[in-house]
Amino acid sequence: MILVVMDHDGNELRKGALEGVSRARKLAEALGGEVAGLVVGFGAEGVAEKAKDYVSKVYVVSGPDWETYTAEKWAKAAHAAAEAAGARVVVAPASRTGRSWTARLAVKMDAALLEDTLDSWAEGEKVYATKYSFLNRVLEKQAGSLPAVISVKPNTTPLAEPAGAGTVEPLAVELGELEKKVEVLEKIVETGGKVSLTEAEVVVTGGRGMGSAEAFQMIEEFADLLGGAVGATRAVIDAGWRPYAEQVGQTGKTVQPNVYFALAVSGAVQHQAGMNKSKVVVAVNKDPDAPIFKETDYGVVGDVHQVLPAMIEEVKKLKGA
Amino acid sequence: MKYVAIIRQVPDGESKIKVDGGRVNLEGATLILDQMDEYAVEQIIRLKEAHGGEAVVVAFGPERTEEAMRTALAMGANRGVLVTAEGYVDPVTQAGALAKVLAEEAPDAVFTGGQQADWDSQALGAAVAEALGWPSVTWTTAFELEDGHAKATHDLDEGAEVVRVALPAVFTTQQGLNEPRYPTLPGIMKAKKKEIKKIDAAELGVSGSKVEILEQTIMELERKGKIIDGTKEPAAAAAELIKLLHEEAKVL
């Protein structure tokens, strides 16, 4: 049995959940058994009704103790579900939260952890995966023994199609002392209602050359037009123009969208580490020697304050056509 | 009070790395204290300065890791403990060995970088915490002590969260938490005399790795490099760019 932990926003399954199901099905074909799912937390009962179209059984962990996320709780729930399902492999999204609890789960299960994987497969009693390392500069092939915990890098895997109706089974998990040690005092949602940076297929990042916090309104407008997410460079975060959650780079988030716009971004190595696996990279910069142009598919040498408004108009025309 | 930073020595991001026989070869690369761990080291020094006690640096890695540890000692940490092992050992296995060192040290708070610049892994801090039965907070941007607890702000996928955590606990660090100081010349001189205790990983029960690296290859994506001059007619350049993205790249 393979267990897939299915991320959701309280109403809908996230893309990461459906990427996880695809991976879990592939592993189940090689290792035998079926795919079970787990939904945890706020709104889990409702989401389970949607999740059961994808897996043979959905375990639901919910209730007042599970309204807020902590890594300790999610690891405990996943461990309980893995034991209930007799799962030898647990698949989860490699979101920031996913990567914080899967490490704990691997310790609980005494399992091999294959983290942030691009692909994964099984042969015999081993699981294999590919991932990036060395700031995204190296492609690495890894092998792990069973049991294993595998996290799936966002935007790497086809989304699963529904495959019949599974059953829903509530799972009672008691909080122990450890899980009570973290109390969430306040949640600050900075990208509420919009696509998350790590899952977005379009990312529009502004650099220091944008010149001001106000200039990011243009970036937001452009990102909204394309259904994308806004990113920012370290210099922009340091200047206090944008929140930390939007930082792309070595000390921020790693993104791998279909198309990445680097606007007024010079392209330091630390920034490249966060975006260099984007499928198509577009840059606008007034400095023709900016390092970002070496990493660019399509670039414009010019002033972003003149080029970006024109890009917005062109996209509006395109969408209107 | 005692505070620990878990650090790693990694290649500088700007340093050339090469692959020989399917493995990354770091010979010739500049090796540094992981930039994400610098925030952890700065944090334990600040806590020691504010509340007294001891700032200890702990690491798992090859003998050469001592160099990165000396950097942390030059910044102001008191002493170091290095668990030595050559070759690749996965973060979860490393965490098991480090947890034994930490159980003995019994610190009030542990800090380590949010992601390692060699493995691109985010597992170490959370795995150490789990092995100790301690809570963990990832991607911490603000930290303060409050009577046996810590109040911390940390990043999630879609924003941030403020949590109150019972100590001892493990925090993974990132930019924003503090501004790491540079080692001073007197600091560097003093660091040479500071104690680094070395323990062989085998003595802590490490007999291999649960994850094996089979092959590594340098990935350089070929980029098209089509550059349009938009200095004279920005609107025309924008139109051409959007047309290329729509018709040629088919991403819009």
PDB file of all heavy atoms in Angstrom, chain B residues 211-243:
ATOM      1  N   VAL B 211      19.865   6.611   2.339  1.00  0.00           N
ATOM      2  CA  VAL B 211      19.726   7.068   0.954  1.00  0.00           C
ATOM      3  C   VAL B 211      21.118   7.045   0.330  1.00  0.00           C
ATOM      4  O   VAL B 211      22.092   7.445   0.954  1.00  0.00           O
ATOM      5  CB  VAL B 211      19.140   8.500   0.895  1.00  0.00           C
ATOM      6  CG1 VAL B 211      19.088   9.004  -0.538  1.00  0.00           C
ATOM      7  CG2 VAL B 211      17.756   8.528   1.523  1.00  0.00           C
ATOM      8  N   GLU B 212      21.150   6.556  -0.895  1.00  0.00           N
ATOM      9  CA  GLU B 212      22.420   6.425  -1.590  1.00  0.00           C
ATOM     10  C   GLU B 212      22.381   7.345  -2.811  1.00  0.00           C
ATOM     11  O   GLU B 212      21.340   7.422  -3.485  1.00  0.00           O
ATOM     12  CB  GLU B 212      22.454   4.976  -2.074  1.00  0.00           C
ATOM     13  CG  GLU B 212      23.782   4.348  -2.298  1.00  0.00           C
ATOM     14  CD  GLU B 212      23.568   2.952  -2.917  1.00  0.00           C
ATOM     15  OE1 GLU B 212      22.530   2.305  -2.656  1.00  0.00           O
ATOM     16  OE2 GLU B 212      24.438   2.565  -3.687  1.00  0.00           O
ATOM     17  N   ILE B 213      23.469   8.016  -3.096  1.00  0.00           N
ATOM     18  CA  ILE B 213      23.520   8.813  -4.325  1.00  0.00           C
ATOM     19  C   ILE B 213      24.095   7.943  -5.423  1.00  0.00           C
ATOM     20  O   ILE B 213      25.190   7.393  -5.285  1.00  0.00           O
ATOM     21  CB  ILE B 213      24.370  10.086  -4.129  1.00  0.00           C
ATOM     22  CG1 ILE B 213      23.660  11.016  -3.137  1.00  0.00           C
ATOM     23  CG2 ILE B 213      24.585  10.801  -5.465  1.00  0.00           C
ATOM     24  CD1 ILE B 213      24.456  12.245  -2.775  1.00  0.00           C
ATOM     25  N   LEU B 214      23.339   7.754  -6.493  1.00  0.00           N
ATOM     26  CA  LEU B 214      23.781   6.863  -7.570  1.00  0.00           C
ATOM     27  C   LEU B 214      24.552   7.618  -8.641  1.00  0.00           C
ATOM     28  O   LEU B 214      25.510   7.117  -9.191  1.00  0.00           O
ATOM     29  CB  LEU B 214      22.575   6.155  -8.201  1.00  0.00           C
ATOM     30  CG  LEU B 214      21.727   5.310  -7.248  1.00  0.00           C
ATOM     31  CD1 LEU B 214      20.539   4.723  -7.991  1.00  0.00           C
ATOM     32  CD2 LEU B 214      22.553   4.204  -6.604  1.00  0.00           C
ATOM     33  N   GLU B 215      24.064   8.806  -8.950  1.00  0.00           N
ATOM     34  CA  GLU B 215      24.725   9.549 -10.029  1.00  0.00           C
ATOM     35  C   GLU B 215      24.444  11.037  -9.901  1.00  0.00           C
ATOM     36  O   GLU B 215      23.340  11.438  -9.531  1.00  0.00           O
ATOM     37  CB  GLU B 215      24.193   9.057 -11.383  1.00  0.00           C
ATOM     38  CG  GLU B 215      25.077   9.500 -12.524  1.00  0.00           C
ATOM     39  CD  GLU B 215      24.580   9.013 -13.881  1.00  0.00           C
ATOM     40  OE1 GLU B 215      23.470   8.439 -13.957  1.00  0.00           O
ATOM     41  OE2 GLU B 215      25.307   9.233 -14.847  1.00  0.00           O
ATOM     42  N   GLN B 216      25.442  11.846 -10.205  1.00  0.00           N
ATOM     43  CA  GLN B 216      25.243  13.294 -10.227  1.00  0.00           C
ATOM     44  C   GLN B 216      25.725  13.838 -11.566  1.00  0.00           C
ATOM     45  O   GLN B 216      26.773  13.418 -12.057  1.00  0.00           O
ATOM     46  CB  GLN B 216      26.027  13.955  -9.077  1.00  0.00           C
ATOM     47  CG  GLN B 216      25.458  13.602  -7.703  1.00  0.00           C
ATOM     48  CD  GLN B 216      26.316  14.095  -6.564  1.00  0.00           C
ATOM     49  OE1 GLN B 216      27.525  13.945  -6.603  1.00  0.00           O
ATOM     50  NE2 GLN B 216      25.690  14.653  -5.538  1.00  0.00           N
ATOM     51  N   THR B 217      24.953  14.736 -12.132  1.00  0.00           N
ATOM     52  CA  THR B 217      25.373  15.379 -13.378  1.00  0.00           C
ATOM     53  C   THR B 217      25.116  16.882 -13.274  1.00  0.00           C
ATOM     54  O   THR B 217      24.148  17.300 -12.650  1.00  0.00           O
ATOM     55  CB  THR B 217      24.581  14.852 -14.604  1.00  0.00           C
ATOM     56  OG1 THR B 217      23.202  14.714 -14.229  1.00  0.00           O
ATOM     57  CG2 THR B 217      25.079  13.518 -15.080  1.00  0.00           C
ATOM     58  N   ILE B 218      26.010  17.668 -13.865  1.00  0.00           N
ATOM     59  CA  ILE B 218      25.804  19.120 -13.881  1.00  0.00           C
ATOM     60  C   ILE B 218      24.682  19.414 -14.863  1.00  0.00           C
ATOM     61  O   ILE B 218      24.669  18.913 -15.979  1.00  0.00           O
ATOM     62  CB  ILE B 218      27.092  19.857 -14.327  1.00  0.00           C
ATOM     63  CG1 ILE B 218      28.270  19.472 -13.430  1.00  0.00           C
ATOM     64  CG2 ILE B 218      26.866  21.363 -14.410  1.00  0.00           C
ATOM     65  CD1 ILE B 218      28.423  20.249 -12.163  1.00  0.00           C
ATOM     66  N   MET B 219      23.737  20.228 -14.414  1.00  0.00           N
ATOM     67  CA  MET B 219      22.583  20.563 -15.249  1.00  0.00           C
ATOM     68  C   MET B 219      22.703  22.001 -15.716  1.00  0.00           C
ATOM     69  O   MET B 219      22.577  22.917 -14.916  1.00  0.00           O
ATOM     70  CB  MET B 219      21.311  20.481 -14.399  1.00  0.00           C
ATOM     71  CG  MET B 219      20.816  19.101 -14.127  1.00  0.00           C
ATOM     72  SD  MET B 219      19.979  18.473 -15.565  1.00  0.00           S
ATOM     73  CE  MET B 219      18.574  19.572 -15.630  1.00  0.00           C
ATOM     74  N   GLU B 220      22.970  22.178 -16.959  1.00  0.00           N
ATOM     75  CA  GLU B 220      22.920  23.544 -17.485  1.00  0.00           C
ATOM     76  C   GLU B 220      21.819  23.549 -18.534  1.00  0.00           C
ATOM     77  O   GLU B 220      21.928  22.881 -19.554  1.00  0.00           O
ATOM     78  CB  GLU B 220      24.255  23.951 -18.127  1.00  0.00           C
ATOM     79  CG  GLU B 220      25.448  23.953 -17.169  1.00  0.00           C
ATOM     80  CD  GLU B 220      25.406  25.068 -16.131  1.00  0.00           C
ATOM     81  OE1 GLU B 220      24.500  25.918 -16.206  1.00  0.00           O
ATOM     82  OE2 GLU B 220      26.280  25.069 -15.258  1.00  0.00           O
ATOM     83  N   LEU B 221      20.749  24.266 -18.263  1.00  0.00           N
ATOM     84  CA  LEU B 221      19.683  24.340 -19.257  1.00  0.00           C
ATOM     85  C   LEU B 221      20.138  25.268 -20.376  1.00  0.00           C
ATOM     86  O   LEU B 221      20.679  26.333 -20.131  1.00  0.00           O
ATOM     87  CB  LEU B 221      18.409  24.892 -18.644  1.00  0.00           C
ATOM     88  CG  LEU B 221      17.550  23.937 -17.838  1.00  0.00           C
ATOM     89  CD1 LEU B 221      16.253  24.630 -17.447  1.00  0.00           C
ATOM     90  CD2 LEU B 221      17.242  22.669 -18.615  1.00  0.00           C
ATOM     91  N   GLU B 222      19.939  24.823 -21.595  1.00  0.00           N
ATOM     92  CA  GLU B 222      20.259  25.692 -22.727  1.00  0.00           C
ATOM     93  C   GLU B 222      19.183  26.770 -22.815  1.00  0.00           C
ATOM     94  O   GLU B 222      17.991  26.466 -22.884  1.00  0.00           O
ATOM     95  CB  GLU B 222      20.261  24.865 -24.014  1.00  0.00           C
ATOM     96  CG  GLU B 222      21.522  24.042 -24.198  1.00  0.00           C
ATOM     97  CD  GLU B 222      22.735  24.914 -24.511  1.00  0.00           C
ATOM     98  OE1 GLU B 222      22.601  25.806 -25.370  1.00  0.00           O
ATOM     99  OE2 GLU B 222      23.790  24.694 -23.884  1.00  0.00           O
ATOM    100  N   ARG B 223      19.606  27.993 -22.804  1.00  0.00           N
ATOM    101  CA  ARG B 223      18.645  29.090 -22.964  1.00  0.00           C
ATOM    102  C   ARG B 223      18.752  29.663 -24.371  1.00  0.00           C
ATOM    103  O   ARG B 223      19.822  29.658 -24.968  1.00  0.00           O
ATOM    104  CB  ARG B 223      18.936  30.178 -21.934  1.00  0.00           C
ATOM    105  CG  ARG B 223      18.742  29.739 -20.479  1.00  0.00           C
ATOM    106  CD  ARG B 223      17.287  29.519 -20.160  1.00  0.00           C
ATOM    107  NE  ARG B 223      17.104  29.046 -18.781  1.00  0.00           N
ATOM    108  CZ  ARG B 223      15.967  28.549 -18.329  1.00  0.00           C
ATOM    109  NH1 ARG B 223      14.917  28.432 -19.136  1.00  0.00           N
ATOM    110  NH2 ARG B 223      15.858  28.154 -17.081  1.00  0.00           N
ATOM    111  N   LYS B 224      17.628  30.151 -24.865  1.00  0.00           N
ATOM    112  CA  LYS B 224      17.598  30.663 -26.238  1.00  0.00           C
ATOM    113  C   LYS B 224      18.411  31.946 -26.407  1.00  0.00           C
ATOM    114  O   LYS B 224      19.020  32.171 -27.437  1.00  0.00           O
ATOM    115  CB  LYS B 224      16.161  30.935 -26.662  1.00  0.00           C
ATOM    116  CG  LYS B 224      15.376  29.691 -26.989  1.00  0.00           C
ATOM    117  CD  LYS B 224      14.119  30.067 -27.772  1.00  0.00           C
ATOM    118  CE  LYS B 224      13.420  28.838 -28.288  1.00  0.00           C
ATOM    119  NZ  LYS B 224      12.836  28.035 -27.200  1.00  0.00           N
ATOM    120  N   GLY B 225      18.362  32.800 -25.393  1.00  0.00           N
ATOM    121  CA  GLY B 225      19.143  34.031 -25.441  1.00  0.00           C
ATOM    122  C   GLY B 225      18.724  35.010 -26.533  1.00  0.00           C
ATOM    123  O   GLY B 225      19.546  35.691 -27.130  1.00  0.00           O
ATOM    124  N   LYS B 226      17.406  35.078 -26.810  1.00  0.00           N
ATOM    125  CA  LYS B 226      16.918  36.055 -27.811  1.00  0.00           C
ATOM    126  C   LYS B 226      16.703  37.394 -27.121  1.00  0.00           C
ATOM    127  O   LYS B 226      15.807  37.543 -26.301  1.00  0.00           O
ATOM    128  CB  LYS B 226      15.573  35.589 -28.380  1.00  0.00           C
ATOM    129  CG  LYS B 226      15.701  34.487 -29.396  1.00  0.00           C
ATOM    130  CD  LYS B 226      14.433  34.349 -30.219  1.00  0.00           C
ATOM    131  CE  LYS B 226      14.635  33.248 -31.247  1.00  0.00           C
ATOM    132  NZ  LYS B 226      13.426  32.962 -32.020  1.00  0.00           N
ATOM    133  N   ILE B 227      17.539  38.354 -27.451  1.00  0.00           N
ATOM    134  CA  ILE B 227      17.462  39.643 -26.770  1.00  0.00           C
ATOM    135  C   ILE B 227      17.000  40.726 -27.751  1.00  0.00           C
ATOM    136  O   ILE B 227      17.536  40.851 -28.847  1.00  0.00           O
ATOM    137  CB  ILE B 227      18.849  40.024 -26.171  1.00  0.00           C
ATOM    138  CG1 ILE B 227      19.432  38.872 -25.351  1.00  0.00           C
ATOM    139  CG2 ILE B 227      18.734  41.302 -25.337  1.00  0.00           C
ATOM    140  CD1 ILE B 227      18.684  38.482 -24.105  1.00  0.00           C
ATOM    141  N   ILE B 228      15.982  41.457 -27.307  1.00  0.00           N
ATOM    142  CA  ILE B 228      15.412  42.522 -28.126  1.00  0.00           C
ATOM    143  C   ILE B 228      15.869  43.864 -27.553  1.00  0.00           C
ATOM    144  O   ILE B 228      15.842  44.059 -26.342  1.00  0.00           O
ATOM    145  CB  ILE B 228      13.858  42.465 -28.080  1.00  0.00           C
ATOM    146  CG1 ILE B 228      13.365  41.062 -28.473  1.00  0.00           C
ATOM    147  CG2 ILE B 228      13.232  43.531 -28.953  1.00  0.00           C
ATOM    148  CD1 ILE B 228      11.962  40.746 -27.972  1.00  0.00           C
ATOM    149  N   ASP B 229      16.245  44.783 -28.438  1.00  0.00           N
ATOM    150  CA  ASP B 229      16.644  46.105 -27.971  1.00  0.00           C
ATOM    151  C   ASP B 229      15.390  46.955 -27.753  1.00  0.00           C
ATOM    152  O   ASP B 229      14.672  47.268 -28.713  1.00  0.00           O
ATOM    153  CB  ASP B 229      17.575  46.767 -28.992  1.00  0.00           C
ATOM    154  CG  ASP B 229      18.048  48.140 -28.525  1.00  0.00           C
ATOM    155  OD1 ASP B 229      17.646  48.551 -27.405  1.00  0.00           O
ATOM    156  OD2 ASP B 229      18.811  48.783 -29.251  1.00  0.00           O
ATOM    157  N   GLY B 230      15.138  47.293 -26.502  1.00  0.00           N
ATOM    158  CA  GLY B 230      13.953  48.096 -26.203  1.00  0.00           C
ATOM    159  C   GLY B 230      14.318  49.468 -25.687  1.00  0.00           C
ATOM    160  O   GLY B 230      13.517  50.127 -25.031  1.00  0.00           O
ATOM    161  N   THR B 231      15.542  49.891 -25.983  1.00  0.00           N
ATOM    162  CA  THR B 231      15.980  51.182 -25.449  1.00  0.00           C
ATOM    163  C   THR B 231      15.354  52.346 -26.205  1.00  0.00           C
ATOM    164  O   THR B 231      15.098  53.393 -25.635  1.00  0.00           O
ATOM    165  CB  THR B 231      17.519  51.310 -25.494  1.00  0.00           C
ATOM    166  OG1 THR B 231      17.964  50.932 -26.798  1.00  0.00           O
ATOM    167  CG2 THR B 231      18.175  50.402 -24.466  1.00  0.00           C
ATOM    168  N   LYS B 232      15.108  52.145 -27.525  1.00  0.00           N
ATOM    169  CA  LYS B 232      14.565  53.260 -28.318  1.00  0.00           C
ATOM    170  C   LYS B 232      13.047  53.194 -28.430  1.00  0.00           C
ATOM    171  O   LYS B 232      12.354  54.185 -28.273  1.00  0.00           O
ATOM    172  CB  LYS B 232      15.210  53.278 -29.705  1.00  0.00           C
ATOM    173  CG  LYS B 232      16.688  53.625 -29.620  1.00  0.00           C
ATOM    174  CD  LYS B 232      17.294  53.908 -30.977  1.00  0.00           C
ATOM    175  CE  LYS B 232      18.780  54.189 -30.845  1.00  0.00           C
ATOM    176  NZ  LYS B 232      19.545  52.974 -30.441  1.00  0.00           N
ATOM    177  N   GLU B 233      12.536  51.993 -28.708  1.00  0.00           N
ATOM    178  CA  GLU B 233      11.080  51.862 -28.836  1.00  0.00           C
ATOM    179  C   GLU B 233      10.566  50.771 -27.902  1.00  0.00           C
ATOM    180  O   GLU B 233      10.341  49.638 -28.315  1.00  0.00           O
ATOM    181  CB  GLU B 233      10.709  51.523 -30.277  1.00  0.00           C
ATOM    182  CG  GLU B 233      10.995  52.658 -31.245  1.00  0.00           C
ATOM    183  CD  GLU B 233      10.611  52.285 -32.669  1.00  0.00           C
ATOM    184  OE1 GLU B 233       9.453  51.897 -32.873  1.00  0.00           O
ATOM    185  OE2 GLU B 233      11.501  52.343 -33.538  1.00  0.00           O
ATOM    186  N   PRO B 234      10.394  51.151 -26.619  1.00  0.00           N
ATOM    187  CA  PRO B 234      10.003  50.145 -25.624  1.00  0.00           C
ATOM    188  C   PRO B 234       8.675  49.443 -25.947  1.00  0.00           C
ATOM    189  O   PRO B 234       8.546  48.246 -25.715  1.00  0.00           O
ATOM    190  CB  PRO B 234       9.910  50.940 -24.320  1.00  0.00           C
ATOM    191  CG  PRO B 234      10.003  52.369 -24.681  1.00  0.00           C
ATOM    192  CD  PRO B 234      10.625  52.474 -26.022  1.00  0.00           C
ATOM    193  N   ALA B 235       7.712  50.188 -26.491  1.00  0.00           N
ATOM    194  CA  ALA B 235       6.398  49.593 -26.755  1.00  0.00           C
ATOM    195  C   ALA B 235       6.505  48.526 -27.843  1.00  0.00           C
ATOM    196  O   ALA B 235       5.901  47.455 -27.754  1.00  0.00           O
ATOM    197  CB  ALA B 235       5.401  50.673 -27.156  1.00  0.00           C
ATOM    198  N   ALA B 236       7.306  48.820 -28.871  1.00  0.00           N
ATOM    199  CA  ALA B 236       7.482  47.852 -29.966  1.00  0.00           C
ATOM    200  C   ALA B 236       8.210  46.607 -29.459  1.00  0.00           C
ATOM    201  O   ALA B 236       7.882  45.481 -29.844  1.00  0.00           O
ATOM    202  CB  ALA B 236       8.269  48.504 -31.107  1.00  0.00           C
ATOM    203  N   ALA B 237       9.196  46.827 -28.571  1.00  0.00           N
ATOM    204  CA  ALA B 237       9.936  45.688 -28.013  1.00  0.00           C
ATOM    205  C   ALA B 237       9.016  44.815 -27.169  1.00  0.00           C
ATOM    206  O   ALA B 237       9.065  43.576 -27.244  1.00  0.00           O
ATOM    207  CB  ALA B 237      11.106  46.195 -27.170  1.00  0.00           C
ATOM    208  N   ALA B 238       8.148  45.465 -26.385  1.00  0.00           N
ATOM    209  CA  ALA B 238       7.193  44.725 -25.556  1.00  0.00           C
ATOM    210  C   ALA B 238       6.256  43.908 -26.430  1.00  0.00           C
ATOM    211  O   ALA B 238       5.967  42.746 -26.138  1.00  0.00           O
ATOM    212  CB  ALA B 238       6.405  45.685 -24.665  1.00  0.00           C
ATOM    213  N   ALA B 239       5.807  44.506 -27.523  1.00  0.00           N
ATOM    214  CA  ALA B 239       4.886  43.812 -28.436  1.00  0.00           C
ATOM    215  C   ALA B 239       5.567  42.596 -29.048  1.00  0.00           C
ATOM    216  O   ALA B 239       4.977  41.514 -29.145  1.00  0.00           O
ATOM    217  CB  ALA B 239       4.418  44.773 -29.524  1.00  0.00           C
ATOM    218  N   GLU B 240       6.820  42.777 -29.420  1.00  0.00           N
ATOM    219  CA  GLU B 240       7.554  41.658 -30.025  1.00  0.00           C
ATOM    220  C   GLU B 240       7.770  40.537 -29.000  1.00  0.00           C
ATOM    221  O   GLU B 240       7.626  39.356 -29.303  1.00  0.00           O
ATOM    222  CB  GLU B 240       8.909  42.150 -30.563  1.00  0.00           C
ATOM    223  CG  GLU B 240       9.576  41.123 -31.452  1.00  0.00           C
ATOM    224  CD  GLU B 240      10.964  41.565 -31.911  1.00  0.00           C
ATOM    225  OE1 GLU B 240      11.275  42.767 -31.861  1.00  0.00           O
ATOM    226  OE2 GLU B 240      11.736  40.670 -32.315  1.00  0.00           O
ATOM    227  N   LEU B 241       8.097  40.945 -27.772  1.00  0.00           N
ATOM    228  CA  LEU B 241       8.314  39.964 -26.699  1.00  0.00           C
ATOM    229  C   LEU B 241       7.057  39.128 -26.450  1.00  0.00           C
ATOM    230  O   LEU B 241       7.112  37.893 -26.418  1.00  0.00           O
ATOM    231  CB  LEU B 241       8.730  40.690 -25.401  1.00  0.00           C
ATOM    232  CG  LEU B 241       8.863  39.803 -24.161  1.00  0.00           C
ATOM    233  CD1 LEU B 241      10.081  38.894 -24.282  1.00  0.00           C
ATOM    234  CD2 LEU B 241       8.960  40.639 -22.893  1.00  0.00           C
ATOM    235  N   ILE B 242       5.930  39.808 -26.297  1.00  0.00           N
ATOM    236  CA  ILE B 242       4.685  39.087 -25.996  1.00  0.00           C
ATOM    237  C   ILE B 242       4.316  38.181 -27.174  1.00  0.00           C
ATOM    238  O   ILE B 242       3.843  37.055 -26.982  1.00  0.00           O
ATOM    239  CB  ILE B 242       3.538  40.083 -25.650  1.00  0.00           C
ATOM    240  CG1 ILE B 242       3.899  40.897 -24.400  1.00  0.00           C
ATOM    241  CG2 ILE B 242       2.205  39.354 -25.464  1.00  0.00           C
ATOM    242  CD1 ILE B 242       4.155  40.086 -23.122  1.00  0.00           C
ATOM    243  N   LYS B 243       4.578  38.655 -28.403  1.00  0.00           N
ATOM    244  CA  LYS B 243       4.288  37.840 -29.589  1.00  0.00           C
ATOM    245  C   LYS B 243       5.144  36.564 -29.572  1.00  0.00           C
ATOM    246  O   LYS B 243       4.652  35.462 -29.826  1.00  0.00           O
ATOM    247  CB  LYS B 243       4.584  38.672 -30.848  1.00  0.00           C
ATOM    248  CG  LYS B 243       4.176  38.008 -32.138  1.00  0.00           C
ATOM    249  CD  LYS B 243       4.257  38.989 -33.300  1.00  0.00           C
ATOM    250  CE  LYS B 243       3.986  38.240 -34.592  1.00  0.00           C
ATOM    251  NZ  LYS B 243       5.063  38.344 -35.563  1.00  0.00           N
TER     252      LYS B 243
END
